[in-house]
Amino acid sequence: TDPEHRFYGFLPKLLNEMKMFLEDPERASFCPDGMKFRYVIHKVVDGNFGSSDNGKDWNGMIGELIRAEADIAVAPLTINKQRQEVVDFSTPYREFGITVIMKRNDGDASDKFSFLRPLHELIWIYVLVAYISVTAILYVVGRFTPYEWHNPHPCNQDSS
């Protein structure tokens, strides 16, 4: 456990939920013979997730698992082929999209209309014309079809 509450967030909560689930008396088949699910959260000494230059000497969390300094590692760890050859991974419980990061040009000043820059001005004019055209066409069709437009004052036939 983490009695000092130094760690917080999704992963410590996940570990605590696993502990509560496995130690529930109704689920005695998961932890037989009164076995308890105990854990201690600690930071990796070198602060790395785990990499290897030669495929044998690992650092970080992967190294701790290989050297049996830790039983499990719970982290936002990328699964790659090199790591899969030395440790077992569970099914990913959370997936995140890939983010593209670019260097900001010093010459580009941010302004309120910077969202318009990806497309040429002519494209934006076409989009505006299409928007107005579709709106006008839908209004005309809706106005003249007998199933769409209803007189707001049915007693006054001239108000249609």
Side-chain angles (χ1 to χ4, degrees):
T1 59
D2 185 27
E4 299 169 10
H5 300 290
R6 298 173 298 160
F7 301 97
Y8 58 91
F10 180 75
L11 296 177
K13 285 182 182 178
L14 177 67
L15 280 172
N16 195 42
E17 288 295 320
M18 287 172 56
K19 175 182 173 54
M20 290 172 44
F21 177 84
L22 292 172
E23 290 183 353
D24 186 0
E26 293 177 8
R27 296 179 179 91
S29 62
F30 287 108
C31 286
D33 302 327
M35 212 166 97
K36 299 291 182 188
F37 181 79
R38 295 185 321 240
Y39 64 92
V40 176
I41 301 175
H42 72 277
K43 289 184 180 180
V44 180
V45 177
D46 60 10
N48 293 318
F49 284 110
S51 62
S52 172
D53 292 330
N54 59 12
K56 294 180 182 179
D57 299 321
W58 286 84
N59 63 8
M61 288 184 243
I62 304 295
E64 284 192 4
L65 290 170
I66 292 171
R67 293 186 299 271
E69 296 170 12
D71 295 321
I72 61 171
V74 180
L77 190 63
T78 303
I79 301 171
N80 62 28
K81 185 177 182 200
Q82 191 179 20
R83 289 176 178 162
Q84 279 184 316
E85 291 174 355
V86 293
V87 295
D88 291 326
F89 286 90
S90 69
T91 304
Y93 54 87
R94 211 168 187 188
E95 297 271 343
F96 293 102
I98 297 172
T99 303
V100 177
I101 301 172
M102 296 176 15
K103 181 180 181 275
R104 176 180 279 179
N105 291 338
D106 294 332
D108 289 346
S110 295
D111 60 35
K112 289 185 274 189
F113 300 105
S114 61
F115 69 93
L116 296 173
R117 286 195 192 127
L119 299 178
H120 191 269
E121 293 89 11
L122 193 58
I123 300 294
W124 288 114
I125 292 170
Y126 289 149
V127 168
L128 185 62
V129 168
Y131 177 77
I132 292 170
S133 301
V134 169
T135 302
I137 290 169
L138 288 176
Y139 173 77
V140 170
V141 170
R143 181 72 170 101
F144 291 111
T145 182
Y147 303 107
E148 207 44 54
W149 191 270
H150 298 286
N151 188 352
H153 304 287
C155 294
N156 185 0
Q157 294 298 323
D158 296 330
S159 65
S160 57

